[in-house]
Amino acid sequence: MALDFKCSDVGAWKEALSSYDSRIESLNKPDLVSLDHFYRLDLPSLLHGRDPNPYLTTSELSQLMKWKLSRGKWRPRLLGFVSSLEDSVVKSASEKAFKSLPDISKAVKELTVLKGVGPATASAVLAAYAPDIAPFMSDEAMEVALGSSKDYSLKQYLLFATKLQEKAKELKSKGEWGGASDIERALWSCTVRIKSQPEKTSSGKKRKR
């Protein structure tokens, strides 16, 4: 069953979120489980350990990009671009971006000066540091929240982030819930589950996607 974005049942959202780890494993992609662990646990710890002036290194940005591409669509050129960036350039841009928060628009603009980093990758960087403010702009979550995942502009990301922030606030008012990034993961998990299910043919038989 699909998770309707308008759904206000905290239990349904929690159920979708709780399946996240199993959905990651179900994709059977090389290193995705370890990359997801790095992105959700190790990287946030590294970044907050550098407070009050957090920054990202080229190596960490490359790992983040591997995670993003493995979890979604693989675009090797993007990985090549970010892996070739000078460490000092990545550190400077990311430090400015983190300092710009909670102004998401300004933070994204600071990061997109880096070659290979668009609003979606910038959102992943920001989500690692401030998950409640800046959710990751995944195709799967955008499809449910906005009805489309074709527009990767800053304007579209700001609309996406606002909708997820508002949904998180709504769910918090009804029960125990995290932040905007938990909304993204719940939507991603539900979408991945649906896409992995066999389609039914006109005869009622199931057909693999």
Side-chain angles (χ1 to χ4, degrees):
M1 182 178 175
L3 183 61
D4 190 323
F5 193 77
K6 294 178 181 178
C7 174
S8 58
D9 181 354
V10 180
W13 284 91
K14 282 186 175 182
E15 184 178 347
L17 181 61
S18 68
S19 70
Y20 179 82
D21 287 339
S22 62
R23 298 297 166 217
I24 285 286
E25 292 174 3
S26 73
L27 293 179
N28 291 318
K29 292 188 177 182
D31 303 321
L32 180 55
V33 172
S34 59
L35 286 169
D36 193 70
H37 186 281
F38 165 78
Y39 177 74
R40 291 197 296 131
L41 301 173
D42 299 339
L43 185 57
S45 179
L46 285 168
L47 294 175
H48 285 284
R50 295 168 185 155
D51 282 335
N53 300 304
Y55 62 86
L56 197 67
T57 66
T58 299
S59 174
E60 291 160 357
L61 180 58
S62 295
Q63 286 292 96
L64 178 148
M65 182 64 85
K66 286 179 186 176
W67 168 81
K68 173 180 175 284
L69 299 178
S70 295
R71 191 174 178 257
K73 296 174 183 175
W74 188 257
R75 299 182 178 95
R77 286 188 68 203
L78 294 181
L79 183 58
F81 287 147
V82 300
S83 297
S84 63
L85 292 168
E86 291 288 336
D87 219 35
S88 59
V89 175
V90 174
K91 180 179 178 180
S92 175
S94 57
E95 195 170 344
K96 290 176 183 175
F98 293 135
K99 282 185 177 179
S100 299
L101 292 172
D103 186 336
I104 301 177
S105 178
K106 189 172 188 299
V108 169
K109 288 176 183 176
E110 294 289 2
L111 287 166
T112 51
V113 299
L114 299 171
K115 188 172 184 179
V117 176
T121 301
S123 74
V125 172
L126 299 175
Y129 182 72
D132 291 352
I133 299 173
F136 171 49
M137 188 185 193
S138 67
D139 289 352
E140 294 81 4
M142 284 177 65
E143 285 173 9
V144 182
L146 303 179
S148 171
S149 62
K150 305 299 182 186
D151 185 353
Y152 296 100
S153 66
L154 172 58
K155 180 181 179 181
Q156 191 78 342
Y157 175 60
L158 295 177
L159 177 62
F160 172 76
T162 298
K163 288 200 73 169
L164 266 62
Q165 288 169 359
E166 290 174 348
K167 175 55 69 173
K169 185 177 180 180
E170 175 194 336
L171 294 182
K172 280 182 179 179
S173 71
K174 297 176 180 293
E176 187 180 340
W177 184 258
S181 287
D182 281 344
I183 296 290
E184 185 278 324
R185 279 193 282 272
L187 294 176
W188 181 89
S189 301
C190 196
T191 302
V192 168
R193 178 181 61 79
I194 292 169
K195 287 182 176 180
S196 69
Q197 291 177 337
E199 289 182 305
K200 282 189 177 180
T201 63
S202 57
S203 63
K205 294 181 179 179
K206 291 185 176 180
R207 179 180 64 197
K208 290 186 176 180
R209 290 176 183 267

